[in-house]
Amino acid sequence: MKASQFFVSTLKEAPADAEIVSHKLMMRAGLIKRLGAGIYNYMPMGLRVIRKVEGIIREEMNRAGAIELLMPIVQPAELWQETGRFDKMGPELLRVKDRHERDFIIQPTSEEVVTDIARQELRSYKQLPKNFYHIQTKFRDERRPRFGIMRGREFTMKDAYSFDRDVEAAGRSYDAMFKAYIAIFDRMGLQYRAVAADTGAIGGDRSHEFQVIADTGEDAIIYCPNSEYAANIELAEALPLLAERAAPTLPLEKTSTPGTATCADVARFLGLPLQRTVKTLVLATDEFDEAGKVAKSTVWLLMVRGDHELNEVKASKVEGLKGGFRFATLAEIDTHFGCKPGYLGPIGMKQPVKVVVDRTVARMSDFVCGANDEDYHYTGVNWGRDLPEPDVVADLRNVVEGDPSPDGKGLLAIQRGIEVGHVFYLGTKYSKAMNATYLDEKGKPQFMEMGCYGIGVTRLLGAAIEQNHDERGIIWPDAMAPFRIVICPIGMDRSEAVRAEAERLYQSLQALGVDVLLDDRGERPGAMFADWELVGVPHRIVISDRGLKEGKLEYQGRRDAQATPVAQAEVDAFLKDKLLA
Amino acid sequence: MKASQFFVSTLKEAPADAEIVSHKLMMRAGLIKRLGAGIYNYMPMGLRVIRKVEGIIREEMNRAGAIELLMPIVQPAELWQETGRFDKMGPELLRVKDRHERDFIIQPTSEEVVTDIARQELRSYKQLPKNFYHIQTKFRDERRPRFGIMRGREFTMKDAYSFDRDVEAAGRSYDAMFKAYIAIFDRMGLQYRAVAADTGAIGGDRSHEFQVIADTGEDAIIYCPNSEYAANIELAEALPLLAERAAPTLPLEKTSTPGTATCADVARFLGLPLQRTVKTLVLATDEFDEAGKVAKSTVWLLMVRGDHELNEVKASKVEGLKGGFRFATLAEIDTHFGCKPGYLGPIGMKQPVKVVVDRTVARMSDFVCGANDEDYHYTGVNWGRDLPEPDVVADLRNVVEGDPSPDGKGLLAIQRGIEVGHVFYLGTKYSKAMNATYLDEKGKPQFMEMGCYGIGVTRLLGAAIEQNHDERGIIWPDAMAPFRIVICPIGMDRSEAVRAEAERLYQSLQALGVDVLLDDRGERPGAMFADWELVGVPHRIVISDRGLKEGKLEYQGRRDAQATPVAQAEVDAFLKDKLLA
């Protein structure tokens, strides 16, 4: 491609609404252009990156035996009513009525449609396994779209759906996709981790997020530097930090702790380490009558160590809390504890409630907790002596850096990540809801076992940039770059020698199948270099009259601190080595 | 690709709602699958054809200097309000509100968005010309979607938009696109015509439809077999069929013609050729007051020869009718003619109206027309003698087969066609509405001259099938076929020789870059052949044990009446010649 025949549009300044570096750089490099909130034009330069990403995904999906099709963007509501998602999903599901007032949705994913295809097309066990995927536009009406195409409303996603005869076979489909994702992100040249994730109501251990490592990532990735262990914050198991509960050494004392509504305040006031305090949280669960009104509410007391934080997903796995919970109201707290928040505790409750404590808390002794009396705490609290043993002991907290790894192979570390892919075992959730069955060897209908596998195509661009950039702009990994190499001739319009060498090299690289851009716009060197550093082209060759007189061209990799002179006679071999190795 | 790793799903019977052959065959061959009215899944086999079509379009668009980008499907209403299309367009424009109750549309085309990009990005004459295109999903909420993806609601379209500094440059962009379209449809191997079309309010002569020839086409294509002349029915000029008006030979007579309300009836009753009669049509135009109410209506009388038909697009070009017209009401007809339809005419009107006649009618003499008296016609009518010369003479009628060609090179013929592409000069319609200007050499803002260029990607599949099929199924042109050649091994699971030769040939063709399918499903020969004839794969090689014993394979082209034996030793060369020539 010659730049004069392409569309290059770079900006000195990013628009004010761009919050993060990838959004700023994508706008400045002319990859995307805002059309509305969370809705972007993919400009020619950006579209080239998207096509590269799609190409890699497509090749690896096909290699893994998945079959591409294309499901519509506008989908009839009926299918979404079959699974209940039409009503259950919030306003992020964009609903629309056609001219006949029939309900449709703009697809955020395609479980319903693909299951509808499967229940019609896959009738026999002989047709299984099957894995259908498409790379298609999605829409999610985010309340607060931001970060450019990282959290846009309209975006491109690859979503695949596997259909299997049983759980074991579904596991093989899952593993094949897991392997394909490794191949995809490896080929893209990204640093990433496959992170075990929570499976929610589906259960089992087959859910992994693929996280691109970036300091600016929204997600915490928990991993063990000495092993393969990696999980997201919802799933990463927090072991008890004490081997066993020590014997009491202090008497129970009700201590005045005026104005200390947080554990940090209490610890400071008492001159104790924060690790000696315990945090009390009060939750409530509701039961409903047939009319959907609250028939009964139950209050719960949860405890984590003062320096720890409650993980709500973990809490939601406790028996009794699985159906969903909320934080208790002030009135409920007053009824059960006779005290305002900040001084609550498990001793001397007005109306006793179930006490659920984190594993570490269960092994603490001589600890500090609220006394259910404003401005008072108990010190020297000991389970069994001062209050009954906890009703439930569970993993309730977020792990923190330095916690022991659940695999026993060292201490956990934490990184930030950007989720770009997810593989997920769905079980029979959708096949049961939509009666998607196949006939087994005995002619008996069986529900299909499903998995779903997503990759955020447009999001990958943002994640790659968050991970790979410097103060001059984007640094694309080779496989994602809009162009792999740019030829920058200096004074091409004045020097026939420069023009001839530029054209020769351009054609030579094209003949090798290299995605090369020749910058024939006639820009001055500074502006030309700045443009391609901003856009992030990984390799650059500069051709100048002065250089040619010495028989030299200049090569510079996007991460190189300075240029490397290359003899003109050797430049083709040099670049072949760089680009095709 | 091996069939066992792909998804082949053929049907013996087409669903009852498939009306036309392409729809039936696409459903039977498993190319598409209905999701809702006018909404289809593109199944794996169909998607392969779509990708082939997109690939050809993309290559030729790029070759012509157009630049690909991607504009969103969900577009903010604001831009559509700027051009007035948000209100002007009917319910075929799918409107949707987001969670904040803001208006959006699901794009049917992208003039507004691309003009918005151009007015921001193209600031100087130095940046022109530019031509941006995308291949993107479209939605038109057709009242009665039908014919599968030929007239679906969700469909894929390539739409390009050119921006130029003046009319002359816009003409060059138009010509480049015209040429690109020729290349595209030539490469697809389709029989088609570029047909001059009406430009409506834009004016000028720069509008061409690309019509794929098919007996089942919805559109009439008028062409001259001896020349390049081709136009659609709205544009094809109808010359006067008489060289000059003959002198009167008959007296004017009011003749009783009971029960003859049509020209055909009158001609039969009077024993005259239909060509001696004249058909009278009564139209009305309305003027509106500021409140949008009808302030004044004007009635018009239009006349075409008894065997001709009024063309409403042509009528709408008559001065006074340009703003739109309707057929007159019975009350209006009674007021002006004092008679009911079927016997109306220009002689003896109760309240005279403007008389607009077709060119041929203006040259008629001794003709027959209604007498404004029920059951009576005038015979021997002559302009100037019996009534004033017509107020307006214009081309008002559809041409018919055998009419003289406007280029004087013979007689017109008529074919049926399916519109698959359209190139259209837009002028400054959108640039003025959206204030899209560039600065000329003098730094003065000028409106950009635009053109738009569409190709119906999914519609092309239907059109190609309407043109290319037989009783066994689809016959794809090579360039569009989902697979170019299928290898059908008979008894591959029983014969090692068959298996080995099938695998060898498969790999040999793959190495040549040929898109080959190996049918390793183990189907019986009859079922296997029927599948691929239905799907329409252009070339087939059959490998059997019996054949191999004689050192022979069998080749059959999809249009061949019978198979050709090919010596095993020569099969590679034979196929290379067939497929790469």
Side-chain angles (χ1 to χ4, degrees):
Chain A
M1 180 72 71
K2 294 188 179 181
S4 61
Q5 283 154 32
F6 193 59
F7 185 71
V8 183
S9 176
T10 54
L11 295 172
K12 286 238 161 27
E13 301 287 335
D17 69 329
E19 297 169 53
I20 58 171
V21 69
S22 61
H23 187 192
K24 286 179 189 162
L25 289 175
M26 289 182 87
M27 299 292 282
R28 285 189 53 210
L31 301 179
I32 58 172
K33 191 168 183 66
R34 186 180 185 276
L35 179 60
I39 300 179
Y40 290 84
N41 293 298
Y42 305 153
M43 297 299 283
M45 193 73 79
L47 185 61
R48 287 184 74 89
V49 182
I50 289 172
R51 295 284 184 245
K52 298 267 171 95
V53 169
E54 289 178 350
I56 293 171
I57 293 173
R58 185 170 284 126
E59 279 180 29
E60 296 301 330
M61 289 299 292
N62 293 349
R63 200 190 307 275
I67 301 169
E68 189 175 7
L69 44 63
L70 195 67
M71 293 176 277
I73 291 168
V74 178
Q75 303 183 348
E78 285 82 359
L79 293 177
W80 289 71
Q81 280 154 348
E82 275 192 59
T83 61
R85 289 212 296 173
F86 187 76
D87 298 313
K88 257 182 263 170
M89 279 187 78
E92 72 274 14
L93 180 65
L94 191 61
R95 294 160 174 92
V96 51
K97 282 182 191 292
D98 76 355
R99 65 192 294 155
H100 303 298
E101 292 292 310
R102 283 187 294 244
D103 287 313
F104 289 81
I105 61 97
I106 310 297
Q107 67 139 358
T109 57
S110 278
E111 281 85 355
E112 282 79 0
V113 171
V114 80
T115 306
D116 181 54
I117 290 173
R119 71 180 166 183
Q120 293 177 64
E121 294 283 344
L122 307 177
R123 290 169 299 261
S124 157
Y125 70 95
K126 290 180 196 160
Q127 293 173 282
L128 301 179
K130 276 283 176 303
N131 185 333
F132 292 119
Y133 77 98
H134 67 167
I135 300 177
Q136 178 63 303
T137 303
K138 303 284 187 295
F139 199 93
R140 282 186 199 162
D141 200 359
E142 297 270 356
R143 197 177 56 80
R144 201 161 92 79
R146 54 187 178 149
F147 303 157
I149 57 174
M150 283 263 271
R151 189 179 286 264
R153 295 202 284 177
E154 184 167 321
F155 57 98
T156 305
M157 192 172 135
K158 185 284 296 175
D159 39 328
Y161 306 89
S162 63
F163 297 89
D164 277 283
R165 49 188 310 188
D166 54 33
V167 178
E168 199 194 332
R172 285 192 294 271
S173 291
Y174 184 96
D175 294 342
M177 282 295 101
F178 189 94
K179 220 176 116 193
Y181 276 37
I182 300 271
I184 287 167
F185 299 120
D186 278 352
R187 276 184 64 182
M188 287 184 194
L190 297 172
Q191 278 185 279
Y192 67 95
R193 277 184 197 279
V195 174
D198 187 46
T199 52
I202 303 283
D205 58 358
R206 294 195 172 272
S207 168
H208 283 86
E209 294 167 358
F210 284 77
Q211 297 266 2
V212 167
I213 309 301
D215 293 341
T216 50
E218 284 190 290
D219 297 334
I221 303 169
I222 319 302
Y223 70 103
C224 176
N226 310 323
S227 73
E228 288 296 296
Y229 183 83
N232 70 7
I233 195 81
E234 282 79 33
L235 192 70
E237 188 181 359
L239 298 182
L241 296 181
L242 302 165
E244 54 185 19
R245 193 191 292 165
T249 64
L250 298 175
L252 181 71
E253 280 187 76
K254 185 168 173 177
T255 311
S256 168
T257 52
T260 59
T262 70
C263 286
D265 291 342
V266 176
R268 206 176 305 117
F269 182 86
L270 297 174
L272 291 174
L274 185 56
Q275 289 79 348
R276 291 281 298 279
T277 65
V278 170
K279 197 183 287 180
T280 299
L281 298 116
V282 186
L283 305 182
T285 52
D286 299 313
E287 289 167 54
F288 299 90
D289 64 16
E290 281 175 12
K293 287 194 178 164
V294 174
K296 187 189 162 197
S297 294
T298 309
V299 168
W300 302 68
L301 190 149
L302 273 71
M303 299 175 76
V304 295
R305 202 170 72 177
D307 58 331
H308 288 156
E309 279 186 11
L310 179 75
N311 182 303
E312 295 187 27
V313 171
K314 290 180 174 180
S316 71
K317 290 179 185 165
V318 169
E319 201 56 55
L321 296 177
K322 284 180 182 169
F325 57 81
R326 56 180 172 80
F327 284 92
T329 64
L330 283 177
E332 284 169 332
I333 289 172
D334 189 60
T335 303
H336 291 81
F337 301 90
C339 176
K340 70 173 198 182
Y343 302 92
L344 308 179
I347 301 175
M349 294 181 272
K350 223 163 113 188
Q351 275 191 36
V353 301
K354 212 173 229 188
V355 175
V356 183
V357 311
D358 182 61
R359 292 161 165 182
T360 295
V361 172
R363 295 196 182 171
M364 286 170 75
S365 50
D366 295 338
F367 61 85
V368 177
C369 65
N372 294 322
D373 194 355
E374 191 168 344
D375 291 340
Y376 283 92
H377 279 81
Y378 281 114
T379 57
V381 184
N382 284 281
W383 296 109
R385 185 190 76 181
D386 310 321
L387 75 172
E389 291 290 335
D391 297 306
V392 180
V393 177
D395 176 9
L396 290 184
R397 67 174 178 96
N398 286 337
V399 296
V400 293
E401 193 109 31
D403 274 355
S405 176
D407 65 1
K409 297 192 177 160
L411 302 183
L412 291 177
I414 298 187
Q415 279 178 319
R416 307 302 300 178
I418 299 166
E419 186 188 343
V420 293
H422 199 162
V423 292
F424 196 93
Y425 165 63
L426 285 170
T428 53
K429 180 178 171 188
Y430 289 91
S431 57
K432 276 188 177 153
M434 297 182 66
N435 196 30
T437 61
Y438 68 94
L439 298 179
D440 66 12
E441 286 95 331
K442 293 172 187 156
K444 205 182 141 196
Q446 303 283 0
F447 289 114
M448 293 186 236
E449 289 282 339
M450 290 174 59
C452 67
Y453 316 95
I455 293 181
V457 173
T458 36
R459 172 168 261 239
L460 258 166
L461 273 63
I465 296 172
E466 290 293 332
Q467 184 177 85
N468 300 283
H469 66 271
D470 61 17
E471 68 293 346
R472 289 174 294 159
I474 302 166
I475 307 174
W476 287 113
D478 272 52
M480 296 179 76
F483 298 97
R484 286 192 70 201
I485 180 166
V486 58
I487 301 172
C488 296
I490 297 177
M492 187 172 171
D493 46 347
R494 294 186 309 271
S495 163
E496 185 47 39
V498 168
R499 171 180 297 278
E501 177 62 8
E503 287 280 358
R504 188 202 63 75
L505 188 57
Y506 175 62
Q507 279 163 32
S508 161
L509 288 169
Q510 277 198 319
L512 286 178
V514 171
D515 202 1
V516 54
L517 186 86
L518 170 59
D519 191 346
D520 59 348
R521 295 175 298 163
E523 295 281 341
R524 272 178 294 186
M528 182 160 58
F529 298 163
D531 270 354
W532 301 117
E533 284 171 353
L534 175 56
V535 169
V537 176
H539 307 274
R540 181 177 81 194
I541 281 282
V542 177
I543 305 174
S544 67
D545 236 352
R546 204 176 49 184
L548 289 181
K549 275 175 194 146
E550 296 169 12
K552 290 207 164 85
L553 283 68
E554 279 194 347
Y555 166 83
Q556 188 164 359
R558 179 63 182 81
R559 287 187 194 274
D560 296 350
Q562 53 189 42
T564 307
V566 184
Q568 191 176 354
E570 285 158 27
V571 69
D572 289 45
F574 176 88
L575 290 178
K576 199 171 167 183
D577 193 48
K578 281 270 176 208
L579 299 170
L580 301 187
Chain B
M1 179 71 72
K2 293 188 179 179
S4 62
Q5 283 155 32
F6 193 59
F7 186 72
V8 183
S9 176
T10 54
L11 295 172
K12 284 236 161 31
E13 301 287 336
D17 69 330
E19 297 169 53
I20 58 171
V21 69
S22 62
H23 187 191
K24 286 180 189 164
L25 289 175
M26 290 182 86
M27 299 292 284
R28 285 189 53 209
L31 301 180
I32 57 173
K33 191 168 182 69
R34 188 179 183 277
L35 179 60
I39 300 178
Y40 290 84
N41 294 298
Y42 304 152
M43 298 298 283
M45 193 73 79
L47 185 60
R48 287 185 74 90
V49 182
I50 289 172
R51 294 285 186 243
K52 298 269 172 96
V53 169
E54 289 177 350
I56 293 171
I57 293 173
R58 186 170 283 127
E59 278 181 29
E60 296 301 330
M61 290 300 292
N62 293 350
R63 198 190 309 275
I67 302 168
E68 189 174 7
L69 43 63
L70 196 67
M71 294 175 276
I73 291 168
V74 178
Q75 303 183 347
E78 285 81 0
L79 292 178
W80 288 71
Q81 280 154 348
E82 276 192 59
T83 61
R85 290 212 295 173
F86 187 75
D87 297 312
K88 257 182 264 170
M89 279 187 77
E92 71 273 15
L93 180 66
L94 191 61
R95 295 160 174 91
V96 52
K97 281 182 191 294
D98 77 355
R99 66 193 293 156
H100 303 297
E101 291 292 310
R102 281 187 296 244
D103 287 311
F104 289 81
I105 60 97
I106 310 298
Q107 67 138 358
T109 57
S110 278
E111 281 85 355
E112 281 79 0
V113 171
V114 80
T115 306
D116 181 54
I117 290 173
R119 70 180 168 184
Q120 293 177 64
E121 294 283 345
L122 307 177
R123 290 168 298 261
S124 158
Y125 69 94
K126 289 179 198 161
Q127 292 173 281
L128 302 179
K130 276 283 177 304
N131 185 334
F132 292 119
Y133 78 98
H134 67 169
I135 301 177
Q136 177 63 302
T137 303
K138 305 284 187 296
F139 199 92
R140 283 188 197 161
D141 199 359
E142 297 269 357
R143 195 177 57 80
R144 199 160 94 78
R146 55 189 177 147
F147 303 157
I149 57 174
M150 283 264 271
R151 189 179 287 263
R153 295 201 284 178
E154 185 167 320
F155 57 98
T156 306
M157 192 170 133
K158 185 283 297 174
D159 39 329
Y161 305 89
S162 63
F163 297 88
D164 278 283
R165 48 188 313 189
D166 54 34
V167 178
E168 201 194 329
R172 285 192 294 271
S173 291
Y174 184 96
D175 293 342
M177 281 296 102
F178 189 95
K179 221 175 114 193
Y181 276 37
I182 299 271
I184 288 166
F185 298 121
D186 278 353
R187 276 183 64 183
M188 288 184 191
L190 296 173
Q191 278 185 280
Y192 66 95
R193 276 183 198 280
V195 174
D198 188 45
T199 53
I202 302 282
D205 59 357
R206 293 195 172 274
S207 169
H208 284 86
E209 294 167 356
F210 284 76
Q211 296 266 1
V212 167
I213 309 301
D215 294 341
T216 50
E218 284 191 289
D219 296 335
I221 303 170
I222 318 302
Y223 70 103
C224 176
N226 311 321
S227 72
E228 287 296 295
Y229 183 83
N232 70 7
I233 195 81
E234 281 80 33
L235 192 70
E237 187 182 359
L239 297 182
L241 296 180
L242 302 164
E244 55 186 20
R245 190 192 292 165
T249 63
L250 299 175
L252 178 72
E253 278 185 79
K254 186 168 174 178
T255 309
S256 168
T257 53
T260 58
T262 69
C263 286
D265 291 341
V266 175
R268 205 177 306 117
F269 182 85
L270 296 174
L272 292 173
L274 186 55
Q275 289 80 348
R276 288 281 297 282
T277 66
V278 170
K279 198 184 286 180
T280 299
L281 298 116
V282 185
L283 305 182
T285 53
D286 299 314
E287 288 166 55
F288 298 88
D289 64 16
E290 280 174 14
K293 286 195 178 163
V294 175
K296 188 190 163 196
S297 293
T298 308
V299 168
W300 302 67
L301 190 149
L302 273 73
M303 298 174 79
V304 295
R305 203 170 73 176
D307 59 329
H308 288 155
E309 279 186 10
L310 180 75
N311 182 302
E312 294 185 28
V313 171
K314 290 181 175 180
S316 72
K317 290 179 185 166
V318 170
E319 200 60 54
L321 297 177
K322 284 180 183 168
F325 58 80
R326 56 180 171 82
F327 285 91
T329 63
L330 283 177
E332 284 169 330
I333 289 173
D334 189 58
T335 304
H336 290 82
F337 300 90
C339 175
K340 71 175 199 179
Y343 303 92
L344 307 179
I347 301 175
M349 294 182 272
K350 222 163 115 188
Q351 275 192 35
V353 301
K354 213 173 229 189
V355 175
V356 183
V357 310
D358 182 60
R359 291 161 165 184
T360 295
V361 171
R363 294 194 182 174
M364 287 169 75
S365 51
D366 295 339
F367 61 85
V368 176
C369 67
N372 293 322
D373 193 357
E374 191 170 345
D375 290 342
Y376 282 91
H377 279 81
Y378 280 114
T379 57
V381 183
N382 284 281
W383 296 108
R385 186 189 76 178
D386 309 324
L387 75 170
E389 290 291 333
D391 296 307
V392 179
V393 177
D395 176 9
L396 291 184
R397 67 174 178 95
N398 287 337
V399 296
V400 293
E401 193 112 30
D403 275 354
S405 176
D407 65 2
K409 296 190 177 162
L411 303 184
L412 292 177
I414 299 186
Q415 278 178 320
R416 306 302 300 178
I418 298 166
E419 187 188 342
V420 293
H422 199 162
V423 291
F424 196 93
Y425 166 63
L426 285 170
T428 54
K429 181 180 171 184
Y430 288 91
S431 57
K432 276 189 177 154
M434 296 182 67
N435 197 31
T437 61
Y438 68 93
L439 297 180
D440 66 14
E441 285 95 331
K442 294 172 187 155
K444 206 182 138 198
Q446 304 282 0
F447 289 114
M448 293 186 237
E449 288 281 338
M450 292 174 58
C452 67
Y453 316 93
I455 293 181
V457 173
T458 34
R459 171 168 264 239
L460 260 166
L461 274 62
I465 296 172
E466 291 291 332
Q467 184 177 86
N468 300 285
H469 66 271
D470 62 16
E471 70 292 346
R472 290 172 294 160
I474 301 166
I475 307 173
W476 287 114
D478 271 53
M480 297 179 75
F483 298 98
R484 284 192 72 201
I485 181 167
V486 58
I487 301 172
C488 296
I490 296 177
M492 186 172 171
D493 47 346
R494 295 186 309 271
S495 162
E496 186 46 40
V498 168
R499 171 181 296 277
E501 176 62 7
E503 288 280 358
R504 187 202 63 76
L505 188 57
Y506 175 62
Q507 279 162 30
S508 160
L509 288 170
Q510 276 197 321
L512 286 178
V514 171
D515 200 1
V516 54
L517 186 88
L518 171 59
D519 191 347
D520 60 347
R521 295 175 299 163
E523 294 282 340
R524 272 177 294 183
M528 182 159 59
F529 299 164
D531 271 354
W532 301 118
E533 284 171 353
L534 175 56
V535 168
V537 176
H539 306 274
R540 182 177 82 195
I541 282 282
V542 178
I543 305 175
S544 66
D545 236 352
R546 202 175 52 183
L548 289 181
K549 275 173 194 148
E550 298 170 14
K552 289 207 165 85
L553 283 69
E554 278 195 348
Y555 166 83
Q556 188 164 1
R558 179 63 181 81
R559 286 186 194 274
D560 297 348
Q562 53 189 43
T564 307
V566 183
Q568 192 175 355
E570 286 158 28
V571 70
D572 289 44
F574 176 87
L575 290 178
K576 199 169 166 183
D577 192 48
K578 281 270 177 207
L579 299 171
L580 301 186

